[in-house]
Structures are given as C-alpha cells and as structure tokens.
Amino acid sequence: MQKLMIQGGKRLRGEIALQGCKNSALPIIAATLLCGEDCTLLNCPKLTDVYSAARILNCLGCRCSTSGNTVWVDSSEVTEDRIPEELMREMRSSIIFMGAMVGRLGQCTVSVPGGCELGPRPIDMHLAALRKMGVDIREGGGKIVCRTSGERAKGAKISLSFPSVGATENIILCAVTAEGETVINNAAREPEICDLCGFLRACGASISGDGESRIVINGRRDLHGCCYRIMPDRIAGATYLAMTAATRGEIILTDACVPEMEPFLTVLEQTGCSIYTRENRIYLRSGSRLRAVPDRIRTMPHPGFPTDAQAVLMAALAGAEGTSIFEENIFDCRYRHAEALRKMGADIQVLGKVAIVRGVPQLTGASAEATDLRGGAAMAAAALAAEGKSEITRISHIDRGYERFEETVRALGGDIRRE
Ligand code: EPU
C-alpha cells in the first residue's frame, strides 16, 4: 500500500494550473451515452474515478479511451444494459449512469451503492424522481432494475425535498431524451450541474435554468456528439489555496473558475490572507499566522460554503489564532479527519454536526490514515504546515480526486514523496 511521506514546515510558494473538475467529468462521461456518436472531452482530470467511469462505458459496449487529459467516447453501439457490481463498487457515483442508461436504452440494471466514508448515502430522491418519469423500478438482492413503460421516459414536474446534486444530475440525464417537458424545482445549483448542462446543450439538448433552482428540460429524441472542455475543479483549487495558507505561503492559481470559487474565497479571506483575482487567476499571500474565522462556517448547497472544502479549511484553521466553529449540514460523517488532525496536535472538539477548532501555535507531524478523499487532503495540508515528519497511508482516497497530487505540492516547494 502506498503512502505519502511529508516533511513539514516549508512555506508553499509558486504557480500551478488547476486540474479539470472530477465532479463534472463523471456525469459528463455518463452523459456521452446519450448522444450515440463520437464525443471528445478535454481537460478531464487523470484520476482513478475517471478511469472507472471509462471502464463502465467500455463494459456497456461503447468505445472509450483516454490519453492524457482527453477522453474519447464512441457511443454509437451500446450492447449491455447492466453495470457489473464490482464496477459499481469501485466508484459510488456510478449511480449517475442510471439516468443516462434509462435515457439511452429505456432500461438498466445497477447495484445499490450503499453507504460510504461520509455516512449513509441514500438514493431515495433519485428513484422517486425516475418513478415520476414513468420508470418502473424494482429493488431487491442489492440490485436496482429500471424499465420505462413506453419506449422513452416521460417528462414530469419534480420537486426535490433537498437540492441533491446526484439526484438533479440523474433527472437531467433521464429527461434530455424523454418525451415532453421536465421541470425540476429545488434543483441543485452547483457549478458542476451547469457544466453537465453545458455539455448536453453542446450535444443538442434543450435545457434552461441550470444554476438556478428551477431547471426546465424539453426532451429530444436524438442528440449528437460534440467536443467539450470540462470546467476547472473548484474543490482542488480550494485545497491548494488552503494548503498554501496553512503554510503561510504564496500561490498563483491559473486556469481557475473564479466566480464558482467565491463562496470559499470569501471565507478564506477572513483568515487574513490577501487574495486577488483577475480573469481566471487567483493570487493568495498569507505571510503571517492565520486568524480564526469569526462567523460559524456552515456547509450548505451552492452558493453556500462547500462541504467538500470543509476538511481542508479546518486543517488550515487548526493552526490559526483563535477559535473557529464549523457546522456540517450536508453529510452525517464528515469530521473523520478531525481525529488525525488531533494526532498532529490540533485542538478540535466534535459535537454532532458542529466542530470547534481552537487554533494552536504549532502542529507537529504524525502518522495518519486517510479517511476519505477530502479528509486525506486535509491531513496532507496539516502535515505540510506541521513541524517534523508525517506519514499518510490509504492514499488511494486522495488519488480519487487530485491529479498528480504530490508532484503539484512539490512544484510549490513542499517536501512530499510517495513510497
Ligand atoms: N441524499 C439523500 N437522498 C438522495 C440523495 C442525497 O438523502 O436521494 C442526501 C445525501 O445522503 C447527503 C445529501 O443529500 O447527505 C447531499 O447529497 P448529494 O446528492 O447532493 O451529493 P452527491 O451527489 O452524492 C456530490 C459530490 C460530492 C459532494 C456533494 C455535495 C459527486 C461525484 N459527488 O455528491 O463530492 O460532496 O455532491 O456537494 O459529484 C467529493 O468530491 O469529495 C464529494 C464527496
């Protein structure tokens, strides 16, 4: 099993280009199923999850290949309507193929994704919405079998009880080739939803309102192929900024999605960092010890503070002056990194969905196991800021979301290596 060895205490300094976005690349790869022609996706991050999604397409009979940051898909032939359980298990977000397969084939068999490191991850909203669109869904023996009653799914008016990102994506994927109009109320407004809709529009889909709470989709029988560039990854961006701030360093982030990162930047700025943005570049200088964030940091659906950036900001604030308070409102179990940060000397108290972080003057290196993707990145951030050596194991979690993680940190002057 590979691990990261980190010698902390070096200020990160330098310029890096932001990778493409994992959380829009995955639904977009699933969406290529719908167009039945050639698609070229540019700026796809080189990540284990992206390769798992490519394997699923190949397993369904499409031809999908990757080279560098480009993914090619020819979905003219789809010969399978079932995703094997081992592929479903590789990547929880493979549930996103459900909407796309129903949209293309009118039927599919997938397995129940189950819980994960972040707690129970139900898909009740996905299933209820598809049922409303005329899809008959049977669950049993860990399988989900979907079949449309007619040839295609039917447009419907759907009101989500919570703006779930995955449910919104599955509905969109099912609706773009459905019969008639679909309206999603209380839709997720995450930038990744807009990226998925941008891709689908480039394939000829009729969608409006993405980025707002009400999305309207007019189903079309046929879509076509396209060439599309995946947006930058706002969470990877937040990670490298928080990491640099933690080490009191200085960074220029290029190829960034500045407006989409505003909810994070606004909070990070309150720690006393200087942040300047221009077009697609973000410049951050921290210089002195960070200050605690005065207001409670509440994770919320976009445009609120992103849950995916909670762990890395916590790592930075663990060494800040004063007390910061987090409130995690999206996932039940998203403070598992707190334990590892405590091993590094952080003073963090978790009380249900609240975490109280009393900044300490100096963290110290320790051995820790990555608990999940963003938690693992948070541990690396704390280790880079700490005095002494740290060892982080189970880094396959980190590889799911960060392209060339240690090379990127090394380019900023961090002392990190993989063993
Ligand atoms: N939920 C339900 N029922 C459902 C769907 C969701 O109860 O049918 C609950 C979930 O259990 C969770 C909350 O609603 O408590 C939010 O879930 P959501 O569906 O919005 O999240 P997701 O689609 O499963 C995506 C990202 C996550 C990110 C969340 C929130 C991908 C592949 N994953 O997950 O990313 O945290 O949205 O923004 O897009 C990550 O990148 O580290 C990551 C976990």
Side-chain angles (χ1 to χ4, degrees):
M1 217 162 50
Q2 292 188 323
K3 56 188 176 187
L4 288 177
M5 305 299 292
I6 297 174
Q7 173 70 48
K10 289 201 169 163
R11 292 184 178 205
L12 297 189
R13 182 164 285 138
E15 178 175 320
I16 55 166
L18 195 50
Q19 69 180 61
C21 177
K22 166 180 86 81
N23 286 350
S24 63
L26 299 176
I28 289 174
I29 292 174
T32 59
L33 261 180
L34 292 165
C35 58
E37 285 185 358
D38 288 350
C39 284
T40 305
L41 305 177
L42 308 173
N43 203 33
C44 246
K46 290 184 270 181
L47 301 171
T48 47
D49 273 8
V50 166
Y51 301 135
S52 300
R55 267 198 296 282
I56 291 178
L57 282 181
N58 281 321
C59 168
L60 296 177
C62 300
R63 287 192 304 166
C64 176
S65 58
T66 59
S67 165
N69 292 105
T70 303
V71 173
W72 288 279
V73 184
D74 169 3
S75 64
S76 51
E77 267 191 69
V78 180
T79 50
E80 267 296 325
D81 64 2
R82 158 188 313 259
I83 302 180
E85 202 178 327
E86 59 277 14
L87 280 180
M88 284 294 291
R89 241 186 286 118
E90 258 179 35
M91 181 180 66
R92 195 198 170 276
S93 43
S94 45
I95 193 65
I96 217 62
F97 277 85
M98 185 171 64
M101 285 165 79
V102 169
R104 172 71 190 265
L105 304 165
Q107 61 188 52
C108 74
T109 302
V110 296
S111 14
V112 181
C116 75
E117 311 84 40
L118 310 181
R121 306 270 300 259
I123 52 161
D124 53 314
M125 284 189 260
H126 303 231
L127 300 180
L130 260 54
R131 283 190 170 115
K132 230 177 156 193
M133 297 178 74
V135 183
D136 174 55
I137 303 179
R138 299 193 182 187
E139 298 169 78
K143 296 255 177 298
I144 303 173
V145 182
C146 305
R147 194 182 297 272
T148 52
S149 46
E151 198 192 324
R152 297 153 74 195
K154 291 184 177 54
K157 203 164 178 180
I158 295 158
S159 291
L160 294 176
S161 55
F162 178 87
S164 153
V165 174
T168 304
E169 289 167 348
N170 251 332
I171 300 166
I172 294 171
L173 289 167
C174 183
V176 283
T177 56
E179 230 176 274
E181 185 184 82
T182 298
V183 178
I184 315 173
N185 286 313
N186 199 24
R189 296 160 67 189
E190 268 63 9
E192 291 74 21
I193 300 281
C194 301
D195 208 22
L196 170 63
C197 293
F199 166 79
L200 287 166
R201 268 193 294 268
C203 296
S206 164
I207 309 173
S208 59
D210 44 307
E212 293 161 30
S213 316
R214 186 173 184 269
I215 300 180
V216 180
I217 302 139
N218 275 293
R220 298 217 161 134
R221 191 175 276 275
D222 292 310
L223 302 183
H224 51 74
C226 74
C227 176
Y228 189 79
R229 188 176 173 83
I230 307 281
M231 69 176 284
D233 194 312
R234 64 194 170 104
I235 304 303
T239 301
Y240 293 117
L241 291 174
M243 213 173 245
T244 305
T247 65
R248 305 182 191 182
E250 196 170 354
I251 188 174
I252 298 172
L253 208 54
T254 64
D255 296 348
C257 41
V258 176
E260 289 80 1
M261 288 184 66
E262 282 303 340
F264 174 78
L265 296 177
T266 310
V267 174
L268 188 62
E269 208 160 28
Q270 293 173 42
T271 65
C273 295
S274 308
I275 301 177
Y276 305 99
T277 62
R278 212 170 114 199
E279 290 162 8
N280 61 354
R281 293 164 80 86
I282 301 174
Y283 169 73
L284 172 142
R285 189 163 69 87
S286 109
S288 54
R289 190 173 172 201
L290 300 185
R291 291 195 300 265
V293 174
D295 298 329
R296 197 177 264 231
I297 304 156
R298 293 185 169 87
T299 66
M300 299 290 259
H302 191 78
F305 184 85
T307 172
D308 294 343
Q310 174 256 105
V312 288
L313 183 64
M314 186 178 292
L317 290 173
E321 203 171 333
T323 300
S324 307
I325 300 179
F326 286 83
E327 185 181 303
E328 172 57 54
N329 294 304
I330 309 294
F331 290 107
D332 288 344
C333 280
R334 216 171 192 181
Y335 286 137
R336 292 177 66 206
H337 49 278
E339 174 83 53
L341 299 182
R342 272 197 292 265
K343 273 177 93 178
M344 295 182 187
D347 180 351
I348 303 172
Q349 194 182 358
V350 174
L351 301 161
K353 62 180 187 170
V354 171
I356 302 165
V357 183
R358 296 181 184 88
V360 295
Q362 181 65 62
L363 297 173
T364 42
S367 295
E369 192 175 272
T371 47
D372 60 277
L373 164 57
R374 309 302 171 187
M379 288 169 209
L384 287 160
E387 210 171 64
K389 275 195 182 115
S390 295
E391 187 181 302
I392 301 175
T393 52
R394 287 198 72 193
I395 55 173
S396 54
H397 282 303
I398 297 178
D399 294 333
R400 285 187 36 238
Y402 297 94
E403 181 176 310
R404 299 168 59 245
F405 184 69
E406 67 276 16
E407 283 97 321
T408 308
V409 175
R410 259 204 308 273
L412 294 170
D415 187 343
I416 182 170
R417 59 174 206 282
R418 183 182 290 248
E419 278 185 359

